[in-house]
């Protein structure tokens, strides 16, 4: 059974930074693509960033240049470094693990419980 546990969310002022972490267990972490999603109140869940097993990355246009996704396979952990935060980044952020490569556009198979990020103006 795969478990994904996020941490690092919180309240920050606009312009500030946060780093989210997601610790994975239950499968060979290094083999699978990982992603960060977010869901703001009244909005659909959206992909923020993804990283393949080989380390290739993709980002939503809204976060390019501000957010960085990375992974540490030795620690079974994926990170999301968020800089220059804006009030519109406020959302619950979810870690996800894909069963198939992210390029297949198949939704992730496993999800974390989410961590709240609130950016005040």
């Amino acid at each position: 059974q795969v478990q994904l546990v996020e941490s690092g969310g919180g309240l920050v002022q606009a312009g500030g930074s946060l780093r989210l972490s997601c610790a994975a267990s239950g499968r060979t972490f290094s083999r699978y693509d990982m992603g960060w999603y977010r869901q703001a109140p009244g909005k659909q869940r959206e992909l923020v960033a993804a990283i393949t097993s080989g380390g290739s990355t993709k980002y939503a246009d809204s976060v390019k240049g501000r957010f960085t996704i990375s992974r540490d396979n030795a620690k079974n952990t994926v990170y999301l470094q968020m800089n220059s935060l804006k009030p519109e980044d406020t959302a619950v952020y979810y870690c996800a693990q894909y069963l198939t490569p992210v390029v297949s556009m198949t939704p992730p198979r496993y999800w974390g419980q989410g961590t709240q990020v609130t950016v005040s103006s």
Side-chain angles (χ1 to χ4, degrees):
Q1 182 70 18
V2 173
Q3 286 190 319
L4 303 173
V5 180
E6 301 102 332
S7 60
L11 173 64
V12 64
Q13 289 187 333
S17 299
L18 283 175
R19 188 175 82 152
L20 305 183
S21 300
C22 171
S25 62
R27 300 171 81 191
T28 305
F29 176 79
S30 61
R31 294 181 181 175
Y32 299 100
D33 297 355
M34 300 293 295
W36 284 97
Y37 287 71
R38 67 185 180 188
Q39 187 167 20
K43 294 188 177 181
Q44 289 189 332
R45 190 173 298 189
E46 63 174 353
L47 175 65
V48 175
I51 185 166
T52 69
S53 58
S56 298
T57 58
K58 64 181 292 185
Y59 297 93
D61 288 343
S62 58
V63 307
K64 281 181 182 177
R66 300 188 298 123
F67 290 12
T68 302
I69 188 171
S70 61
R71 66 190 298 160
D72 185 338
N73 291 334
K75 295 183 178 180
N76 288 358
T77 301
V78 61
Y79 304 97
L80 185 68
Q81 178 66 45
M82 306 185 293
N83 299 328
S84 302
L85 283 161
K86 304 175 181 180
E88 50 263 43
D89 294 318
T90 295
V92 178
Y93 284 71
Y94 298 90
C95 174
Q97 187 177 78
Y98 295 85
L99 188 63
T100 57
V102 65
V103 294
S104 71
M105 303 297 289
T106 302
R109 176 63 179 84
Y110 299 102
W111 296 89
Q113 80 287 353
T115 186
Q116 177 70 46
V117 172
T118 303
V119 184
S120 63
S121 57

